[in-house]
């Protein structure tokens, strides 16, 4: 594990990045579904040190989610099958948002639905709230009816993005599924539909079977793989998509250190999100911020934006 | 509640595959309530990076004790730690048992690894608690004397009769409840045991708290993986074992998942 | 790591499985590309203890493969970009096959091509050889012109399988790519085309960037991810495909122990292949055989075939 | 050649980040040739599961010595091993240097970590070899006396002049070649150094063997990841560093990859 040491030279580093007109004090965001609605981690970190936080996926009506067990450990990763448990958009606006709306960080809501109308209606309700950006999840592999059906065909991605844009007054991030043959096709469809930014990757569908009980470990049988195991797949997809679209990207998938974050930015991400890594260490998101800063100081780079897409392909 | 780097003060195998650990942490020792747990990083390997939830067994001075059985990869690594090693521990986490002077005849029921959090609970009742402990067999029998020292009475039960009474740990409990003894039951152990205790509590109309287990991610209420089904005025709802529990009132949980 | 202890009870275990009429003494095979043409490992293991061996991918003409570096380490996995380096089918038949044709194990050739005609022609040349089965690789992510273009569209999978079947007198295994939106669709297309068996998964496309040089670690920029990291994805795909087709499956992806192999068989595989794991331990394939046997003995199961597809979904 | 479980006989840090290890293995000791390597499992973590290739530095009795610099995860773990630990080692692997009585004036050139396999090579020539060793600076200078003990002459060169002559290790070599000394050159070190040596060998028409490095998978010739470009009668072809090398004749390799 990386021991995070604060850069000790005098380089002044500009950590700010801008996505669709929204300024982030640094490029580190929390990944949706791993950070609740923000309050749980406040005992462990100063949330205002983060560029932004993405909240747990919201749906129009409350959702109970899938049966437990909902988590399994795999080599360098985990599978989850939470299934979008959430209190619904109304209760969120009433009970959850007030507690976090004054946090000094970018607030990103993550939305899911069963129909295009669902998405439009949630986006509309959030448009007048204190949320700064909306991330549209069309890639949750854990819910049959939701998300993923929209996320795997370019035509539907284009259509849903276009429709939601009409109802959405906040910058719209479209979150892509890695469970596709050609992610650039999907990315281009989202961009053409009007996405202001793209985030990737959501989890990869996986399964674990307990050989003693002969049953899948997850009650849902399958779940989404995240954590370091998926990092090479995520970096590849960010790189491919960066070469295919012009909108900014938020990269994620297995980030555990500042170095990992730098790798995603070199591949083409303007910002990164930390998810599963926070289960290992609730301070990880802040350590990633510090790790990026240290890398920049060590290299004498004074603007984090210089990293974006700076990979030199062979 | 906090992230703590704690030095291991002692670590001993007290029965086959059962390890008894004492760590140094003034913060945890002074904040822990019976029934709360620790979320422990068992090794710095990316490969096995989920923490493991382990109940607090006891606290004294600025020390915290927990006991665990080696099951898989994580507990195996944890058992290999040495005195003086530093453990990365989140805690104390979750809601513990409700302890109150109101309860004059607490009945404490534990099965298997479920007995560990009950020692500190029994201690709170100034030798008023009656304790019922179930073990697979005599090789697994631990802590009998420690419980005796802090309880009014301790009944030992084993699956095969190799120690204590042969049978289910609920049997001596039924006996006491039949006699009208018991104004609260606290239980921790395997789900079938918890189901039986819940049924008894309903039958004998005794208040009852159960400590549940579920696989965890964050341990602090943020990821929603550790759900258990609860019911409130007829509506079923998933709650979080880590943050809403692990201790629940028995009429709140369905134990169906 | 699993310490392999020979089962010590008296259960007699039948380890034989049958794929498309070919009998395997046990369900453990080596994965193509990780076992050369068989001879290299003979100093480390008794190859006749394996159910079968799959040879390095062959093409019609010799191929030089990609530039080095061709390997990178990732969390619980590796990326490779060998790019089908091989001496071509003629030299293989002349220089390599004679040395292994008498091995007491099932010999599986693995073939790739740029055109359907290439595949047909290699299959024809192998049809009169001592090879027992042919595995058709339409899923190599490391060669632009070859394989993968055929492997990601149901129509082309169906077509190529049908054509190759006409020229192939040996049982034909079609090897599936995990880099697809819906693997069951591809599997059904291969089955409909006449595949006698399916093998899965090939590697998942990934990338690793050296943050100090800013260059991709692989000269080819991207490469195929294999090893334990991919296991949950592979198990999920085997399970999905087992529920979609009737032909037998060879499961692979990250197998390191007998337990891992059992997991794949429960998911629906009739046999398994061990690849990357052999880089960690050249004896791993044989240890997997022993590990399966030990599991069966411990559970008192006397026929390995009882494991196939025996998962009990929730 | 074989898979060996070898006990660590000694392990010492001989310079900053440079670790000198002796393991017990009669098999390797009696089969190893200068220039061959070991493929070492640096820890049983799935997470870092590729072995690491490290050259054999020396053999004596039933012991095998190797020396390595800590670079990343694997060598870091390896350096943390203790005397008495068991290492899982494949070897001896690959083709070593061609040693022959035919060569009367062997010139041995090493740069950085490339010097380690050259000790056992120099030994084979009964104090006839002239050795040229390049180091980054004096903090990295190791084994000077050991080489002196087995060679005719040792020239030390450093990048910054902090030990020996300042400059490139090829400079004193050129001097000797200009004087007509040298009937074979053996070299191991960074690729730019190997390129320079190859050019000199061509210019002065001296035979030359180079030991190459490449990232490896299996280490035994089965996976084809460790390729290096070779040329034979004008045709370029990838060979395997692990099995066809790591030592090649200099006119065989292009050093272009
Ligand atoms: C609130 C709480 C308190 C606990 N207190 C104790 C205690 O005091 N002593 C003790 O011996 N055990 C206790 N357990 C059970 C203990 O957490 C598991 O035995 C342990 O996590 C198994 O990890 P492993 O690495 O050995 O097993 P593995 O099989 O390697 O674990 C794989 C995954 O499954 C999870 N898991 C496996 N079994 C359980 C289980 N029964 N409950 C929750 N997660 C599980 C692990 O956390 C891990 O994520 C407690 C569990 C909970 C939820
Ligand atoms: C035939 C041969 C002999 C060698 N002999 C020695 C020796 O005697 N002493 C010594 O200090 N070093 C030697 N090396 C280099 C040594 O293998 C690498 O420094 C080492 O593998 C780096 O591993 P790491 O875990 O520290 O680095 P990491 O960066 O964690 O390694 C990541 C991956 O890259 C590979 N890798 C990184 N650098 C190299 C390299 N230079 N060559 C080959 N693979 C590399 C690793 O094997 C691993 O797969 C030799 C290399 C080869 C090919
Ligand atoms: C427990 C859990 C719950 C998740 N819930 C959501 C969600 O509600 N919406 C969403 O878009 N992504 C969700 N994700 C996906 C993450 O946001 C992220 O895309 C993925 O986990 C990869 O990043 P990581 O490897 O850093 O975790 C969830 C992931 C996990 C592990
Ligand atoms: C170095 C290397 C070379 C490979 N070459 C081939 C190949 O030539 N043909 C093929 O079908 N698969 C090839 N594969 C894929 C493997 O056969 C296998 O499908 C994959 O690696 C997953 O299994 P594993 O995780 O056990 O390695 C190769 C894999 C590796 C690691
Ligand atoms: S473990 Fe994350 S909410 Fe309980
Ligand atoms: S490392 Fe596998 S062939 Fe050389």
């Amino acid at each position: 594990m990386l021991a995070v040491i604060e850069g000790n030279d005098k380089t002044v580093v500009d950590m700010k990045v801008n996505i669709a007109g929204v300024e982030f004090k640094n490029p580190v965001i929390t990944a949706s579904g791993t950070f609740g609605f923000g309050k749980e981690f406040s005992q462990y970190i100063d949330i205002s040190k983060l560029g932004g936080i993405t909240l747990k996926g919201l749906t129009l009506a409350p959702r109970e989610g899938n049966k437990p067990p909902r988590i399994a450990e795999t080599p360098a990763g985990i599978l989850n099958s939470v299934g979008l448990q959430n209190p619904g958009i109304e209760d969120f606006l009433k009970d959850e948002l007030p507690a976090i709306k004054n946090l000094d960080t970018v607030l990103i809501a993550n939305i899911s639905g069963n129909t295009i109308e669902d998405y439009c209606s949630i986006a509309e309700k959030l448009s007048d709230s204190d949320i700064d950006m909306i991330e549209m999840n069309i890639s949750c592999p854990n819910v049959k009816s939701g998300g993923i059906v929209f996320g795997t065909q370019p035509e539907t991605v284009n259509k849903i993005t276009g429709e939601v844009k009409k109802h959405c007054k906040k910058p719209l991030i479209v979150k892509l599924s890695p469970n596709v043959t050609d992610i650039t096709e999907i990315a281009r469809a989202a961009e053409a539909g009007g996405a202001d930014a793209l985030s990737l990757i959501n989890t990869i569908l996986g399964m674990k079977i307990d050989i003693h009980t002969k049953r899948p470990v997850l009650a849902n049988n399958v779940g989404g793989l995240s954590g370091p195991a998926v990092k090479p797949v995520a970096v590849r997809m960010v790189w491919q998509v960066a070469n295919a679209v012009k909108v900014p990207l938020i990269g994620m998938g297995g980030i555990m250190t500042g170095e990992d974050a730098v790798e995603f930015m070199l591949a083409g991400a303007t910002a990164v999100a930390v998810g599963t890594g926070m289960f290992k260490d609730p301070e990880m998101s802040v350590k990633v911020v510090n790790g990026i800063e240290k890398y920049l100081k060590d290299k004498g780079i004074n603007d984090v934006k210089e990293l974006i897409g700076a990979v030199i392909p062979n | 509640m906090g992230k703590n780097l704690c030095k291991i003060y002692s670590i001993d195998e007290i029965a086959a595959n059962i390890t008894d650990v004492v760590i140094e942490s003034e913060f945890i020792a002074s904040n822990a309530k019976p029934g709360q747990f620790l979320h422990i990083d068992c090794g710095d390997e990316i490969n096995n990076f989920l923490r493991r939830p382990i109940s607090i067994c006891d606290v004294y001075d600025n020390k915290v004790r927990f006991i665990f059985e080696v099951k898989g990869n994580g507990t195996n690594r944890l058992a290999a730690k040495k005195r003086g090693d530093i453990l990365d521990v989140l805690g104390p986490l979750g809601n513990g048992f409700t302890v109150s002077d109101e309860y004059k005849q607490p009945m404490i029921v534990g099965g298997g690894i479920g007995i560990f959090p009950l020692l500190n609970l029994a201690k709170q009742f100034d030798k008023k608690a009656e304790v019922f402990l179930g073990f697979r067999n005599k090789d697994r029998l631990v802590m009998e004397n420690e419980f005796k020292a802090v309880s009014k009475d301790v009944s030992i039960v084993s699956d095969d009769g190799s120690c204590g009474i042969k049978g289910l740990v609920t049997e001596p409990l039924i006996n006491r409840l039949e006699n009208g003894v018991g104004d609260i039951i606290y239980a921790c152990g395997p789900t079938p045991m918890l189901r039986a205790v819940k049924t008894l509590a309903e039958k004998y109309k005794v208040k009852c708290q159960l400590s549940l287990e579920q696989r965890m991610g964050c341990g602090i209420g943020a990821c929603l993986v550790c759900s258990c089904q609860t019911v409130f005025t007829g509506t079923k709802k998933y709650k979080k074992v880590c943050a809403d529990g692990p201790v629940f009132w028995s009429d709140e949980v369905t134990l169906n998942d």
Side-chain angles (χ1 to χ4, degrees), chain A residues 279, chain B residues 39 215-227 240-243:
Chain A
F279 301 172
Chain B
H39 209 29
R215 288 169 182 255
M216 291 187 182
C218 66
I220 61 171
C223 73
L224 306 183
V225 306
C226 64
S227 49
K240 303 178 242 187
V241 171
C242 72

Coordinates of all heavy atoms in Angstrom, one line a residue, chain A residues 279, chain B residues 39 215-227 240-243, ligand 5:
Chain A
F279 N -13.8 1.0 1.2 CA -14.2 0.0 2.2 C -12.9 -0.5 2.9 O -13.0 -1.0 4.0 CB -14.9 -1.2 1.5 CG -16.1 -0.9 0.8 CD1 -16.8 -1.8 0.0 CD2 -16.7 0.4 0.9 CE1 -17.9 -1.5 -0.7 CE2 -17.8 0.7 0.2 CZ -18.4 -0.2 -0.6
Chain B
H39 N -14.3 -3.2 13.0 CA -14.2 -3.6 11.5 C -12.7 -3.6 11.3 O -12.0 -2.5 11.2 CB -14.9 -2.6 10.7 CG -15.4 -3.2 9.4 ND1 -15.8 -4.5 9.3 CD2 -15.7 -2.7 8.2 CE1 -16.2 -4.8 8.1 NE2 -16.2 -3.7 7.4
R215 N -22.7 -10.2 5.9 CA -21.5 -9.8 5.2 C -21.5 -8.3 5.0 O -22.5 -7.7 4.6 CB -21.4 -10.5 3.9 CG -21.1 -12.0 4.0 CD -21.3 -12.7 2.7 NE -21.1 -14.1 3.0 CZ -20.0 -14.8 2.6 NH1 -19.1 -14.2 1.9 NH2 -19.8 -16.0 3.0
M216 N -20.3 -7.7 5.2 CA -20.2 -6.3 5.2 C -19.2 -5.7 4.2 O -18.3 -6.4 3.9 CB -19.8 -5.8 6.6 CG -20.9 -6.0 7.6 SD -20.5 -5.2 9.2 CE -21.9 -5.7 10.1
G217 N -19.5 -4.5 3.8 CA -18.5 -3.8 3.0 C -17.9 -2.7 3.8 O -16.9 -3.0 4.6
C218 N -18.5 -1.5 3.8 CA -17.9 -0.4 4.5 C -17.9 -0.5 6.1 O -17.0 -0.1 6.7 CB -18.6 0.9 4.1 SG -20.3 1.0 4.6
G219 N -19.0 -1.1 6.6 CA -19.1 -1.3 8.0 C -19.6 0.0 8.7 O -19.8 0.0 9.9
I220 N -19.8 1.1 8.0 CA -20.2 2.3 8.6 C -21.5 2.9 8.0 O -21.8 4.1 8.2 CB -19.1 3.4 8.5 CG1 -18.7 3.7 7.0 CG2 -17.8 2.8 9.2 CD1 -17.8 4.8 6.8
G221 N -22.3 2.1 7.3 CA -23.6 2.6 6.9 C -23.7 3.2 5.5 O -24.7 3.8 5.2
A222 N -22.6 3.1 4.7 CA -22.6 3.9 3.5 C -22.8 3.1 2.2 O -23.2 3.6 1.2 CB -21.2 4.6 3.3
C223 N -22.7 1.7 2.3 CA -22.7 1.0 1.0 C -24.0 0.1 0.9 O -24.2 -0.5 -0.2 CB -21.5 0.1 0.9 SG -21.4 -1.3 2.0
L224 N -24.7 -0.1 1.9 CA -26.0 -0.8 1.9 C -25.9 -2.3 1.5 O -26.8 -2.9 1.0 CB -27.0 -0.1 0.9 CG -27.3 1.3 1.2 CD1 -28.3 1.9 0.2 CD2 -27.7 1.6 2.6
V225 N -24.7 -2.9 1.8 CA -24.7 -4.3 1.4 C -25.1 -5.2 2.6 O -25.4 -6.4 2.3 CB -23.3 -4.8 0.9 CG1 -22.8 -3.9 -0.2 CG2 -22.3 -4.8 2.1
C226 N -25.1 -4.7 3.8 CA -25.3 -5.6 5.0 C -26.7 -5.6 5.4 O -27.0 -5.6 6.6 CB -24.4 -5.0 6.1 SG -25.0 -3.4 6.6
S227 N -27.7 -5.7 4.5 CA -29.0 -5.6 4.9 C -29.6 -6.8 5.6 O -29.3 -7.9 5.5 CB -29.9 -5.2 3.7 OG -29.6 -6.1 2.7
K240 N -29.7 -1.7 7.9 CA -28.3 -2.0 7.8 C -27.8 -2.7 9.1 O -28.0 -2.1 10.2 CB -27.5 -0.7 7.6 CG -28.0 0.1 6.4 CD -27.2 1.4 6.3 CE -28.0 2.6 6.4 NZ -27.4 3.8 6.2
V241 N -27.3 -3.9 9.0 CA -26.8 -4.5 10.2 C -25.7 -3.7 10.8 O -25.6 -3.6 12.0 CB -26.3 -6.0 9.9 CG1 -25.6 -6.6 11.0 CG2 -27.5 -6.9 9.5
C242 N -24.8 -3.1 10.0 CA -23.7 -2.4 10.5 C -24.0 -1.1 11.3 O -23.5 -0.8 12.4 CB -22.7 -2.0 9.4 SG -23.2 -0.7 8.3
A243 N -25.0 -0.4 10.8 CA -25.3 1.0 11.4 C -26.6 1.0 12.2 O -26.7 1.6 13.2 CB -25.3 2.0 10.3
Ligands
LIG5 S1 -21.5 -2.6 5.5 FE1 -21.8 -0.8 4.3 S2 -23.8 -0.2 5.0 FE2 -23.3 -1.8 6.3

